[in-house]
Amino acid sequence: MPTVLAGAGRLAPERIRHVASPLIELGCALHVLAAPRHHDRVEWASGVPLPVSLREELAQWTWTVRAVRARFFVTSTATGVPAWQEELGALRARPAAELAAELVRPLRGRPLSSREVDTDAVRHWSRSRGPEVFGLVTALLDAPDEPVRRFLDLLDSCWTTWFHEVWAESRDALAARGRQDRDLAVRDGVLPMLASLDSSIDIRDNDSAVVQKVQNKRIDLADRSLLLVPSNHIAPHLFLGEIPGQPLTLIYPATGRGPAVPTAAQLRARLEALAAPDRLQVCRAVASEPRTAGEIAALWNLHPTQVTRHLKALTRAGLVTAERQGRFVTYHLNEPALHSLGPHLLTLILR
C-alpha cells in the first residue's frame, strides 16, 4: 500500500522549484510543538520560550497543523528564501473568506483534491475537538474577518517571540539543501534525486518512484511541477502536499535519508507471523544464541514439526535468519526487524 509517484522519470528538471519558506517551516515547527513525543523533540519543545497566553492560544489552533494542514502551510508560490513579512503580508492581503476555507481544510469532510468545503461536515467534526475549537470554526465559516486576523496575529507573535531566531539559524542551510537537491535532479535525473531525499522513497522503474506510506495512492508527475521544501522539523514524516492547481509539495527532512523504512507489506507479514501462538516463544529461543529447530523443541517442550513450521514463517517474514552449519540449520533473531515493530516487543523477547 505505497504511494506511487508516476511519471517522475518524465518530469523535466526545469519544472522543479525549491524554497526555504519561513511560513512552511513555522507550520512544521508548530506541528512538533503539538506532539513533541511523537517527534522525539520533548526537550526542544520544552525549551521554546512561549508565554503561557501564547501556548494557550496555540492549543486552540493545533488542528490546523496536524496530519492534514492548512493549505498555506504546505505550498508556496515563492522560490529561494522569501522574507517572513513578505509571506505574512501576502496572507493578510488575501480575502478572509478564502483564508478561512484553507484553515478549515483539515476538517473539510471531502477528498483533499476537492476545492469545495462541506460546511456541515466541518461543523460536525469540529465539535469532536471541544467547544473552543467549535466556536473558532463556526466563526471562520460565518464571520471570518476576526478569526482570520486573530490567527495571522498569532503566527506573527510566534515569529516575534521565538521563531525568528530559529529561522535565522537554519535559513541558509535549508536554502543550500534545496539548491543542492535541484542541482542533483539536473545532473543525475529526477528519480535518483527523489531517492536521495528520504529512506522511504525508492525508485520502482525508469518512470516512477514509490513512497512507503500507509496509503494506496497514485500521483502523476508527468504533467505537473514539483516544489522541494527541506525542513528541520518535518522528521519523522515525509509530507506530500497535493493541492489542486499547485505543484506537488515535498517537505522532507533536511538531515538526509535516515534509517531504512520497511514497507507496509513487510510490516504486515511480520505482525501476522507473530500472531500465531508459540512464535514469540520461538523468537525468545533464538534471541540469546543461534539454535536449531530440534534444540528449540527439546528445550521448550514443543513438537519438532510445529517448531519447524514456526521458524519457516518467521524466516519468510524476515524476523529470523537461517544459517547452515554442516548438516544443521541454525536460526538467529533479526533484532533490527523486531525493533521496527516497536521497542517494547524486542524488550519482551530479550527478557
Side-chain angles (χ1 to χ4, degrees):
M1 58 172 60
T3 295
V4 177
L5 301 180
R10 289 171 282 152
L11 176 62
E14 56 265 25
R15 288 194 279 121
I16 300 176
R17 287 191 294 119
H18 62 87
V19 66
S21 162
L23 181 60
I24 293 178
E25 187 73 340
L26 175 58
C28 293
L30 294 178
H31 177 87
V32 175
L33 282 179
R37 290 186 184 278
H38 170 65
H39 295 82
D40 196 22
R41 301 286 297 276
V42 174
E43 184 177 352
W44 175 84
S46 63
V48 173
L50 290 176
V52 173
S53 58
L54 190 54
R55 284 189 182 273
E56 292 175 348
E57 178 79 352
L58 281 173
Q60 297 179 40
W61 293 93
T62 55
W63 51 277
T64 66
V65 292
R66 298 306 287 261
V68 179
R69 307 184 189 187
R71 181 171 172 172
F72 48 77
F73 283 133
V74 297
T75 192
S76 174
T77 58
T79 299
V81 190
W84 168 254
Q85 291 303 330
E86 175 187 345
E87 292 198 307
L88 183 66
L91 289 180
R92 291 194 188 280
R94 293 174 58 186
E98 189 177 285
L99 275 184
E102 294 192 10
L103 281 169
V104 301
R105 174 178 178 256
L107 305 171
R108 64 190 304 159
R110 289 182 183 271
L112 296 184
S113 58
S114 171
R115 290 180 177 273
E116 299 176 12
V117 176
D118 186 337
T119 56
D120 290 338
V122 167
R123 292 179 199 274
H124 175 74
W125 295 119
S126 66
R127 290 180 184 275
S128 68
R129 288 159 171 80
E132 289 181 335
V133 171
F134 176 68
L136 279 177
V137 171
T138 299
L140 284 167
L141 295 175
D142 295 341
D145 287 358
E146 193 280 328
V148 165
R149 179 200 56 78
R150 174 182 166 188
F151 182 77
L152 296 181
D153 287 348
L154 174 63
L155 295 184
D156 204 23
S157 295
C158 288
W159 172 264
T160 303
T161 304
W162 61 281
F163 192 71
H164 71 282
E165 294 183 355
V166 174
W167 184 247
E169 293 174 357
S170 58
R171 173 191 58 213
D172 293 343
L174 293 178
R177 176 63 198 270
R179 287 193 302 271
Q180 170 191 319
D181 293 327
R182 190 188 180 281
D183 290 346
L184 179 63
V186 173
R187 186 182 72 243
D188 296 344
V190 174
L191 287 168
M193 180 275 291
L194 289 173
S196 74
L197 298 182
D198 189 73
S199 56
S200 65
I201 305 178
D202 296 298
I203 298 174
R204 187 174 73 167
D205 51 41
N206 61 6
D207 193 53
S208 60
V210 173
V211 185
Q212 299 304 336
K213 281 182 167 285
V214 187
Q215 184 179 29
N216 261 329
K217 196 170 188 179
R218 184 180 185 276
I219 302 174
D220 195 345
L221 287 176
D223 297 318
R224 66 188 305 173
S225 53
L226 179 66
L227 177 63
L228 300 175
V229 188
S231 168
N232 286 329
H233 297 279
I234 196 65
H237 307 299
L238 177 82
F239 192 91
L240 298 175
E242 191 182 10
I243 306 293
Q246 297 288 335
L248 176 69
T249 304
L250 191 54
I251 309 177
Y252 56 96
T255 51
R257 282 181 56 84
V261 177
T263 68
Q266 287 173 328
L267 289 176
R268 188 169 59 247
R270 291 171 185 176
L271 292 170
E272 289 172 352
L274 289 172
D278 297 330
R279 285 192 187 156
L280 281 180
Q281 192 171 0
V282 172
C283 284
R284 177 68 184 87
V286 298
S288 56
E289 62 178 308
R291 299 183 191 274
T292 66
E295 185 181 5
I296 295 169
L299 289 173
W300 272 265
N301 196 28
L302 297 170
H303 194 282
T305 303
Q306 184 184 33
V307 172
T308 299
R309 186 166 58 249
H310 287 328
L311 285 168
K312 286 182 177 179
L314 292 168
T315 302
R316 283 195 302 270
L319 298 171
V320 164
T321 60
E323 181 181 355
R324 181 165 291 279
Q325 300 282 355
R327 64 187 183 89
F328 296 101
V329 176
T330 60
Y331 294 87
H332 310 244
L333 185 70
N334 184 352
E335 290 191 21
L338 262 294
H339 193 272
S340 73
L341 299 177
H344 295 307
L345 175 62
L346 184 59
T347 300
L348 173 65
I349 289 173
L350 294 176
R351 288 284 182 196

